[in-house]
């Protein structure tokens, strides 16, 4: 049996595997496949969200560059991310509170059941505050301030569209502390080139420092996958290597992909992307 992703009209990820669970939640069509190459995968509305085998690349890269760049990240807000992978990585740091705002509670419960290695108990950590709500609405209404905001959303379709608008970024800016920073994924640089460019342009009008970051994640087909960082006070590429290496060693992070060399290498862009990020 084969799983075919329906993200693009003209390119397809096809994996040998079988459907082990499927449910229409109040928000989306959720499926879990067991694949031979990438382990179990979580699929929402026929779009691959994450895979057991390579999730560590994405989850480490949306977490550690920011948590080691911020001088004292105590309070972190995560939007989406119901599989728990980002929360697991955030809680490796000495943070005081990690809020996770996910719209669909079924994603959390079914990920804990079928993909337990993603959250690894993170939802039961006493620093976790779980909120079932629309992330855009939460950010608009909250009076809390955060040091780091991580947006781990699907691609900009359906209910995730609000997580890509100018207003959304303006509201994030206002709930960030003075050294605050945010990160989000902006898709494949080759197959979804507009995502990086459009988000870069919007964020550049709001944040003093905007930095794209790259990593290749096999599950997200199309070569380099992109992320974008918005920062209020600190320009991530300007932080001394020694400082990041010192913080990395002190935190005793157990990482499979991230290290201080990758931290800085991931912010270097090939020429075709330098033009996009202008
Ligand atoms: N890492 C994946 C990717 O890059 O495609 C995303 C995985 S995570 C499971 C995405 C989560 O965002 C889903 O569980 C979905 O329910 C949630 N989500 C979508 N729109 C949302 C919104 N407006 N507010 C909060 N969560 C949202």
């Amino acid at each position: 049996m084969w799983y075919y992703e329906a993200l693009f009209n003209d390119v397809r990820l096809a994996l040998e595997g079988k459907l082990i669970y499927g449910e229409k939640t109040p928000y989306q069509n959720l499926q879990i496949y067991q694949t031979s190459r990438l382990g179990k995968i979580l699929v929402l509305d026929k779009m691959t969200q994450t895979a057991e085998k390579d999730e560590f690349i994405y989850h480490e890269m949306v977490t550690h560059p920011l948590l080691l760049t911020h001088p004292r990240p105590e309070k972190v807000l995560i939007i989406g991310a119901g599989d728990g992978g980002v929360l697991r990585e955030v809680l490796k740091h000495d943070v005081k509170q990690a809020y996770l705002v996910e719209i669909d509670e079924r994603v959390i419960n079914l990920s804990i059941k079928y993909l337990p290695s993603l959250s690894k108990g993170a939802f039961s950590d006493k620093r976790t505050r779980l909120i079932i709500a629309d992330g855009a609405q939460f950010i608009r209404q909250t009076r809390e301030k955060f040091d780091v905001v991580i947006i781990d959303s699907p691609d900009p379709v359906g209910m995730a569209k609000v997580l890509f608008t100018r207003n959304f970024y303006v509201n994030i800016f206002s709930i960030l502390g003075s050294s605050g920073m945010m990160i989000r994924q902006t898709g494949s640089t080759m197959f979804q080139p507009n995502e990086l460019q459009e988000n870069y342009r919007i964020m550049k009008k709001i944040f003093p420092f905007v930095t794209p970051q790259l990593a290749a994640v096999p599950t997200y087909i199309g070569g380099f996958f992109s992320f974008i960082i918005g920062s209020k006070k600190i320009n991530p590429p300007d932080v001394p290597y020694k400082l990041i290496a010192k913080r990395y060693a002190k935190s005793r992070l157990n990482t499979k992909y991230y290290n201080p060399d990758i931290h800085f290498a991931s912010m270097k862009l090939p020429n075709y992307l330098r033009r996009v990020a202008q």
Side-chain angles (χ1 to χ4, degrees):
M1 284 172 73
W2 286 81
Y3 158 70
Y4 296 101
E5 179 177 61
L7 178 59
F8 305 110
N9 295 328
D10 56 348
V11 191
R12 273 194 171 186
L13 167 68
L15 295 168
E16 195 229 14
K18 63 172 197 285
L19 181 68
I20 55 172
Y21 186 77
E23 170 182 320
K24 257 197 179 319
T25 78
Y27 295 95
Q28 51 209 339
N29 185 10
L30 184 156
Q31 294 172 313
I32 314 266
Y33 284 83
Q34 175 71 56
T35 72
S36 47
R37 182 68 70 164
L38 291 171
K40 281 191 220 119
I41 61 169
L42 170 67
V43 179
L44 295 175
D45 290 338
K46 298 209 168 140
M47 288 174 280
T48 322
Q49 302 295 306
T50 192
E52 278 178 326
K53 277 278 166 67
D54 65 3
E55 55 85 9
F56 68 94
I57 305 173
Y58 176 93
H59 292 130
E60 290 183 15
M61 289 308 285
V62 285
T63 304
H64 305 309
L66 264 63
L67 276 110
L68 292 175
T69 297
H70 191 288
R72 191 147 176 65
E74 293 188 336
K75 215 164 143 190
V76 178
L77 171 63
I78 306 162
I79 301 292
D83 53 63
V86 179
L87 187 60
R88 179 197 69 208
E89 293 303 316
V90 166
L91 293 175
K92 286 181 179 174
H93 293 261
D94 191 17
V95 298
K96 291 203 167 131
Q97 281 178 309
Y99 284 54
L100 189 143
V101 184
E102 160 68 60
I103 202 165
D104 190 347
E105 195 169 13
R106 293 302 289 157
V107 177
I108 296 171
N109 296 337
L110 293 165
S111 298
I112 291 173
K113 181 167 180 194
Y114 290 99
L115 302 155
S117 63
L118 271 98
S119 54
K120 258 194 178 164
F123 287 109
S124 323
D125 191 294
K126 60 180 189 315
R127 295 168 293 167
T128 299
R129 249 203 89 191
L130 182 59
I131 295 158
I132 304 300
D134 173 20
Q137 202 177 336
F138 175 84
I139 286 179
R140 198 165 53 240
Q141 291 172 349
T142 186
R143 290 174 177 207
E144 309 265 350
K145 289 269 182 198
F146 295 90
D147 300 310
V148 170
V149 176
I150 300 173
I151 318 297
D152 178 23
S153 78
D155 288 300
V157 287
M159 65 197 179
K161 254 190 186 163
V162 289
L163 307 178
F164 287 81
T165 61
R166 185 183 171 279
N167 270 352
F168 179 61
Y169 293 126
V170 169
N171 293 336
I172 291 179
F173 189 90
S174 68
I175 63 161
L176 282 170
S178 60
S179 301
M181 47 190 75
M182 63 151 284
I183 188 166
R184 73 147 334 113
Q185 61 100 341
T186 45
S188 153
T189 58
M190 195 48 82
F191 291 169
Q192 297 155 298
N194 295 341
E195 269 191 43
L196 179 61
Q197 187 160 38
E198 281 166 16
N199 285 283
Y200 185 90
R201 286 190 181 153
I202 298 173
M203 285 171 63
K204 201 65 191 142
K205 293 200 174 110
I206 301 162
F207 288 89
F209 302 105
V210 181
T211 310
Q213 182 188 283
L214 303 175
V217 185
T219 293
Y220 306 137
I221 54 169
F224 271 127
F225 191 73
S226 63
F227 305 85
I228 192 159
I229 301 168
S231 176
K232 275 184 147 173
K233 196 161 88 185
I234 301 159
N235 189 21
D238 291 346
V239 177
Y241 177 93
K242 274 191 173 167
L243 182 59
I244 297 295
K246 196 172 132 201
R247 287 178 181 161
Y248 179 65
K250 194 170 165 222
S251 63
R252 295 172 183 273
L253 282 180
N254 178 11
T255 49
K256 281 205 277 183
Y257 185 81
Y258 176 89
N259 59 45
D261 289 351
I262 287 287
H263 178 113
F264 289 98
S266 70
M267 297 176 202
K268 306 277 186 218
L269 298 182
N271 286 357
Y272 80 99
L273 292 175
R274 281 191 182 171
R275 283 192 288 275
V276 166
Q278 271 178 6

